[in-house]
Amino acid sequence: MRWVKWILPTILAINGAVMLLAPAWWYPRVPGVIETGPLNEHFVRDIGAAYLACALAMGWAVKDPARGLGVAVASATFLTLHAAIHLITPFCGTTLPWPLLLRDFPGVFLPAIISLLIVRSCRRRAMRAEARPC
């Protein structure tokens, strides 16, 4: 079951790479994205770069939890702020927010939650490493 911890970094990497390399292909395939306005390939690539950076950071944190705390926090910060935007935005419109929140759960909220769990795990490992006598 050691492979399970690599699911988030892998998904983030695939999503980021596709956003960078094929934004026009990616854009209509992600639920809800086309409802945000017309395709802006530069913007999609910018966000793809952020996802790729998060993937690398989370991969580092998963590989070396004791030393990966800082990069895990940075990655989780982006993912959590992204989720916060998706949490607030549905309540600003005229439609019911619940279908939008359910639609966004697997691709936005779940990665943020998992990233926070990885941060917690890294923090625990770092604290254990500091507590060991030399």
Side-chain angles (χ1 to χ4, degrees), residues 64-108:
D64 189 355
R67 291 187 228 168
L69 177 60
V71 294
V73 168
S75 179
T77 299
F78 167 75
L79 294 170
T80 303
L81 289 173
H82 179 227
I85 292 166
H86 280 257
L87 183 63
I88 294 166
T89 303
F91 290 97
C92 298
T94 56
T95 61
L96 290 173
W98 311 116
L100 301 176
L101 295 173
L102 287 173
R103 177 200 67 203
D104 291 347
F105 184 80
V108 177

Side-chain angles (χ1 to χ4, degrees), residues 105-129:
F105 184 80
V108 177
F109 300 115
L110 191 57
I113 292 166
I114 293 169
S115 73
L116 293 172
L117 293 172
I118 291 172
V119 166
R120 188 172 119 194
S121 172
C122 289
R123 185 171 174 269
R124 286 182 175 168
R125 284 275 187 92
M127 289 173 61
R128 273 189 254 142

Side-chain angles (χ1 to χ4, degrees), residues 27 32-40:
Y27 193 76
V33 173
I34 59 172
E35 296 159 15
T36 65
L39 169 64
N40 178 333

Side-chain angles (χ1 to χ4, degrees), residues 13-81:
I14 291 168
N15 187 51
V18 173
M19 291 174 81
L20 280 167
L21 300 172
W25 183 89
W26 176 90
Y27 193 76
R29 284 167 176 76
V30 178
V33 173
I34 59 172
E35 296 159 15
T36 65
L39 169 64
N40 178 333
E41 288 193 16
H42 179 95
F43 184 67
V44 171
R45 285 188 173 108
D46 284 346
I47 303 304
Y51 270 97
L52 202 52
C54 286
L56 294 171
M58 282 297 166
W60 179 2
V62 164
K63 183 167 176 42
D64 189 355
R67 291 187 228 168
L69 177 60
V71 294
V73 168
S75 179
T77 299
F78 167 75
L79 294 170
T80 303
L81 289 173

